[in-house]
Amino acid sequence: MKLQVSNTNVPVWRDITVKSDLPSKLKSLEEIAKNLWWVWNSEAKAVFHDLDVELWRATGENPVMLLQQLSSERLEEVIADKKMMERIEHVYSMFKEYMAKPMRDDLPSVAYFSMEYGLCNALKIYSVVGHLKNHRTARLLHNLLDGELVEVLGLIICNLLAIHAECLREVAVTIKEADSCHGHA
């Protein structure tokens, strides 16, 4: 006679992802971390670095991972550190000021970028080319990818191109002025 064996004692393994919730006083860091603005802002990078130097390196200088892996003890230390909180508030105010600036209308609204050049160490290189035609496309990406590090990618790329174009214009003007001062035409 055969007895049917119950499967109730067989473990069922599932992958779970645990996401820590930052204290409200540090929520601004999460907002900055999920925006590529920190990549070219040295003060923002320094804040993330100084939260935990070893963990910053261990996470590949990825602020999203850093914030997820900070211990609750370290988070409490940061909140209790008046100077660090002032730095965080200062960086966040710079971030908000930058994000509040309107897009420039005098530049084309098409950005061509190639990720094989990379933006920062935290973003893996996948050798793909994307076209962001306007802010609506960036919103679509945000919705499709649930906002992880692409929240304002279109705006950032367009702003980078605008900054680059402005720098080139300034260099050209400076060269032209220097040439005219030295008698070159």
Side-chain angles (χ1 to χ4, degrees):
M1 169 192 255
K2 288 187 174 183
L3 296 175
Q4 186 163 2
V5 178
S6 171
N7 291 331
T8 58
N9 291 329
V10 177
V12 178
W13 301 103
R14 292 188 178 101
D15 291 332
I16 61 168
T17 303
V18 178
K19 183 178 177 185
S20 63
D21 197 24
L22 284 175
S24 60
K25 291 182 179 181
L26 299 176
K27 286 287 189 184
S28 59
L29 287 175
E30 188 173 49
E31 187 177 348
I32 294 168
K34 291 183 176 181
N35 186 299
L36 291 176
W37 174 85
W38 66 267
V39 171
W40 63 85
N41 185 285
S42 58
E43 289 182 66
K45 268 185 165 178
V47 164
F48 288 122
H49 172 273
D50 294 345
L51 288 173
D52 187 320
V53 177
E54 294 302 317
L55 188 55
W56 177 246
R57 289 188 184 118
T59 60
E61 298 183 3
N62 182 326
V64 174
M65 288 177 63
L66 172 83
L67 294 175
Q68 286 294 312
Q69 295 180 27
L70 281 173
S71 68
S72 56
E73 294 82 16
R74 180 61 184 140
L75 293 172
E76 291 303 319
E77 289 172 5
V78 170
I79 292 170
D81 184 343
K82 191 173 182 174
K83 283 191 174 198
M84 180 58 115
M85 290 305 293
E86 286 173 0
R87 285 178 62 200
I88 292 169
E89 289 169 18
H90 171 71
V91 167
Y92 187 62
S93 68
M94 291 187 333
F95 170 71
K96 294 306 270 182
E97 181 182 326
Y98 176 83
M99 294 304 292
K101 290 180 184 173
M103 291 286 293
R104 291 183 51 182
D105 293 332
D106 60 331
L107 298 172
S109 61
V110 175
Y112 175 85
F113 66 98
S114 178
M115 285 305 289
E116 56 261 13
Y117 294 108
L119 296 172
C120 68
N121 292 344
L123 295 176
K124 303 299 180 211
I125 299 173
Y126 293 106
S127 295
V128 294
V129 177
H131 299 272
L132 296 180
K133 300 199 184 298
N134 57 29
H135 181 62
R136 195 173 314 144
T137 307
R139 273 286 160 222
L140 178 63
L141 278 175
H142 169 63
N143 293 336
L144 289 174
L145 299 172
D146 196 25
E148 290 298 315
L149 284 177
V150 294
E151 198 161 324
V152 290
L153 188 56
L155 287 173
I156 290 169
I157 298 299
C158 289
N159 283 334
L160 281 173
L161 290 175
I163 291 166
H164 182 68
E166 187 64 34
C167 289
L168 288 176
R169 276 194 289 276
E170 288 177 19
V171 168
V173 168
T174 304
I175 291 171
K176 190 173 183 181
E177 288 172 353
D179 283 346
S180 66
C181 289
H182 294 292
H184 298 95

